Amino acid sequence: MDIEMVYDKGLLREIGGVAISYGQREWMDTTPRALGSWPLEYQRFSETLRAAGDVKITYRRWSSLPRTVGRWDCEHRKSRLERVGPYQLRHDRAGRVCTVGPVQIFYDRGDWNPVGAQLQSTDESLSDELLLVLFLVLFWQKQAWDAYYQSHR
């Protein structure tokens, strides 16, 4: 199953037909505010995502590395996210996430924004939980890259 990712004005607007919405002043605030019907809640005065709908997210103390997503634990190796609950992540040589469980992510050559994804099994569909994990992984990856490039200006 192909999973289309739609961008507009440099912002990821849709994953597999599920809209990602932003604030009214998106030219100033590029932080996603909702994934489909799930409101995204952030820590006060921060871009740290605390919840997606009813799913709470916790982080390691003094870190941006997630510790739990809902009932699932997250695993890290050094500062790289390796697993969210049952979904193992794989990275390419450039450090980009290239698989999230059964989902393979595709990038344009030399680009950091994913252009699409594909479920490796044609029998499966993109479940709500897999959609959420895919969104979170891409969100955290973009945050990490943005922070890196801001610090190296």
Side-chain angles (χ1 to χ4, degrees):
M1 171 185 173
D2 289 334
I3 302 166
E4 185 179 12
M5 295 191 189
V6 177
Y7 289 85
D8 184 32
K9 299 176 186 168
L11 299 175
L12 181 59
R13 302 293 184 153
E14 192 176 297
I15 299 175
V18 177
I20 300 168
S21 57
Y22 296 81
Q24 292 181 2
R25 295 182 178 159
E26 63 189 38
W27 62 90
M28 294 172 53
D29 179 13
T30 59
T31 306
R33 298 298 171 190
L35 172 63
S37 63
W38 297 321
L40 301 175
E41 180 184 324
Y42 295 86
Q43 186 172 344
R44 191 173 192 154
F45 305 116
S46 172
E47 291 183 1
T48 302
L49 186 58
R50 303 304 279 179
D54 294 336
V55 178
K56 302 293 182 210
I57 302 165
T58 63
Y59 294 86
R60 290 183 175 182
R61 188 176 185 118
W62 310 111
S63 172
S64 61
L65 295 174
R67 189 173 66 206
T68 62
V69 173
R71 67 184 191 284
W72 294 332
D73 290 330
C74 298
E75 294 178 15
H76 306 87
R77 186 176 340 153
K78 298 183 182 177
S79 63
R80 180 186 283 191
L81 184 60
E82 295 288 327
R83 176 183 293 278
V84 177
Y87 300 109
Q88 180 74 34
L89 308 181
R90 291 206 172 83
H91 301 80
D92 63 14
R93 291 180 187 209
R96 301 176 298 192
V97 176
C98 56
T99 63
V100 175
V103 176
Q104 184 175 5
I105 301 169
F106 300 102
Y107 297 86
D108 272 344
R109 188 176 184 165
D111 196 1
W112 291 93
N113 289 327
V115 294
Q118 186 175 45
L119 273 169
Q120 295 172 352
S121 170
T122 56
D123 297 340
E124 293 184 58
S125 63
L126 187 61
S127 66
D128 287 347
E129 71 180 25
L130 187 52
L131 169 68
L132 177 60
V133 172
L134 178 59
F135 168 79
L136 290 173
V137 167
L138 296 176
F139 174 78
W140 289 323
Q141 177 173 262
K142 180 163 179 16
Q143 275 191 328
W145 289 336
D146 289 349
Y148 174 82
Y149 288 115
Q150 286 292 335
S151 68
H152 287 84
R153 279 184 147 179

